[in-house]
Amino acid sequence: MSTGVLIALIVVVAAVVAVAAVSAVRARGSHGGRGLKHRFGPEYDRAVARHDGDVEAAERELDALVQRHGELRERPLEPAERERFIARWTAAQERFVDSPRAAVTEADRLLAEVAGARGFPDAGRYEEQLGALSVHHADHVHGYRRVHSAVDAHEGTTGDRAAGTEDMRAAMVEARALFDDLVGRAHRDPGRRRAPQSTPQDHSRPGLHLPRGFHRHQAKEG
């Protein structure tokens, strides 16, 4: 093969690759954003807010999460294991009335353990675990973020002000929605988001009822 023919082939291949790259970028621009919005729901808006309205930066972040965690397959819980987790959550909710901070700390710990048991990154890697959960449980993952932030603020590991009782109550209720999702569904399609619950105070699932007084405002600080 002559040098001229070889150069011509190289130019043709380079042109084909360039056209394919441009097409991929255009396809992402017209479809990727809508796909990410559908998949991440409220997490999409939070990502945009974290990037001060920079949609492209937010979509790059979310797309990287999908690339990193999209193939994760959740492991089902054994029945006995599931019941133990539910019993611990119920105990934490009951404890909230007398000791809100201890209850929120236990909720944070319990969500990390349940997520690890389902096959997500282990509890020692919070950010990585949170990212994976946002890919597969986008509707409810913010509850985990809220209880974790409340614990960090109380322990002084962040500059945030310590959460008040009402803030902790709201965080606990929202976190319970993620807990319910993790223990209540062994298999789900990560590419589809289910409709959010009509209210986080839904008491329809056995074993997860909120204790009397949980929604009241006079819980003691603990």
Side-chain angles (χ1 to χ4, degrees):
M1 183 180 295
S2 67
T3 302
V5 173
L6 183 59
I7 292 174
L9 286 174
I10 292 173
V11 170
V12 170
V13 170
V16 171
V17 170
V19 169
V22 171
S23 298
V25 170
R26 288 178 177 173
R28 173 164 175 73
S30 60
H31 300 292
R34 287 197 296 272
L36 290 171
K37 282 184 178 181
H38 175 74
R39 178 162 197 152
F40 283 93
E43 284 296 295
Y44 181 93
D45 295 329
R46 293 184 187 106
V48 173
R50 282 197 302 274
H51 289 277
D52 298 322
D54 188 337
V55 173
E56 291 186 359
E59 290 185 355
R60 284 195 298 271
E61 175 191 324
L62 297 177
D63 189 56
L65 288 175
V66 174
Q67 294 295 321
R68 190 155 63 247
H69 303 295
E71 297 303 314
L72 184 149
R73 292 293 176 261
E74 298 178 59
R75 295 194 298 264
L77 297 174
E78 295 293 333
E81 184 180 30
R82 179 178 183 273
E83 292 307 312
R84 284 195 299 271
F85 282 135
I86 289 175
R88 287 177 58 190
W89 185 270
T90 301
Q93 287 184 164
E94 291 172 349
R95 190 178 185 184
F96 185 91
V97 177
D98 293 317
S99 186
R101 296 195 189 283
V104 169
T105 299
E106 172 64 4
D108 178 52
R109 182 186 303 115
L110 189 50
L111 284 173
E113 290 182 23
V114 175
R118 291 298 310 273
F120 289 93
D122 62 58
R125 295 180 292 160
Y126 167 72
E127 292 295 342
E128 193 74 4
Q129 189 180 68
L130 186 73
L133 285 167
S134 73
V135 173
H136 296 270
H137 295 274
D139 286 329
H140 304 308
V141 70
H142 190 56
Y144 185 20
R145 186 182 290 117
R146 288 189 66 178
V147 295
H148 192 80
S149 295
V151 172
D152 279 353
H154 176 60
E155 294 177 349
T157 56
T158 67
D160 298 334
R161 67 174 181 82
T165 300
E166 177 57 22
D167 290 336
M168 289 188 288
R169 183 204 64 80
M172 189 87 171
V173 171
E174 191 171 356
R176 183 215 139 174
L178 175 61
F179 178 81
D180 185 26
D181 217 19
L182 287 170
V183 301
R185 304 188 64 175
H187 303 285
R188 68 197 299 266
D189 179 357
R192 298 180 58 189
R193 295 173 55 246
R194 62 172 177 157
Q197 296 171 325
S198 58
T199 170
Q201 287 85 8
D202 175 24
H203 294 176
S204 61
R205 290 173 175 81
L208 294 177
H209 296 296
L210 297 176
R212 179 177 299 177
F214 185 83
H215 292 300
R216 298 175 184 172
H217 296 272
Q218 65 266 32
K220 302 175 185 177
E221 288 284 356

